[in-house]
Amino acid sequence: MTTSKYSTESIKFRLRAALTLLICAVIGVFSTYWLIAHVLPIYGQLWRQASAIEVPYMAFGLLMAPPVMLACVVASAFAIYTGKRFDPPTKSGLAKFQTVMMKASVYSLIVLAPLAGIITTIALNKLDYTTCPQLKKSGSAWQTYWVSHPGFCFVPDSYTENRWPCKMVDGKKLCLNMDE
């Protein structure tokens, strides 16, 4: 009988680590995409003073995901490569990296996410935006719409493919451009 370089337990451990790496990478990429696609545009719209701005407040909580997912990817890659649990020596570069990523994640969730929501709300109020719950789609309770003029606040009849709210007025479909 020949002995294999990898035992069955080692292979199972590496497969679990590979699955963890894949999941963490997907979550990290998805959360980064969501922040870029749905949170950053808020500030561009504020800068341009758009007629209406959709603010998904819960998305600010995703600020914590990229650092912790990056740490998870590194730990999983280490586990795949070595076949051992990721437990770097206290003073090593990997231990410092792990600590920094975890602290960044926790501080993002506890400090940065609420602060971003508060600063965004203050900026909207300073620029004379008012909330408009009528623009909210059914089932989207965590999103808040802000409008720059009371006439832009209405109950939509439909939405465009770009998620702009529309209303039928005198047989014409009028849509509120959320980008300008």
Side-chain angles (χ1 to χ4, degrees), residues 11-166:
I11 292 172
K12 286 181 184 178
F13 177 79
R14 289 171 195 255
L15 287 174
R16 285 192 306 267
L19 181 61
T20 302
L21 185 141
L22 180 65
I23 291 169
C24 290
V26 168
I27 291 171
V29 167
F30 175 75
S31 61
T32 302
Y33 163 77
W34 189 268
L35 288 167
I36 291 169
H38 297 283
V39 174
L40 283 181
I42 294 168
Y43 304 105
Q45 291 171 331
L46 270 171
W47 182 261
R48 291 188 312 273
Q49 296 186 357
S51 54
I53 300 173
E54 178 184 3
V55 182
Y57 282 102
M58 284 183 61
F60 291 122
L62 287 175
L63 290 168
M64 62 79 59
V68 78
M69 290 301 123
L70 181 58
C72 180
V73 165
V74 169
S76 298
F78 177 88
I80 293 167
Y81 182 72
T82 64
K84 297 178 184 174
R85 190 176 74 116
F86 183 72
D87 189 18
T90 307
K91 300 288 183 185
S92 72
L94 284 175
K96 289 177 184 174
F97 170 76
Q98 179 183 24
T99 301
V100 166
M101 290 297 111
M102 293 303 165
K103 282 184 178 180
S105 182
V106 170
Y107 289 138
S108 294
L109 187 60
I110 294 173
V111 177
L112 191 58
L115 190 60
I118 290 167
I119 290 172
T120 301
T121 303
I122 290 170
L124 286 160
N125 281 316
K126 288 288 182 191
L127 292 171
D128 292 327
Y129 281 85
T130 56
T131 60
C132 178
Q134 291 92 332
L135 286 177
K136 221 182 274 189
K137 294 179 191 169
S138 177
S140 63
W142 58 281
Q143 295 170 314
T144 304
Y145 287 86
W146 293 77
V147 294
S148 60
H149 184 276
F152 297 145
C153 190
F154 57 88
V155 177
D157 296 325
S158 63
Y159 293 87
T160 66
E161 64 277 353
N162 295 335
R163 299 179 305 152
W164 297 344
C166 300

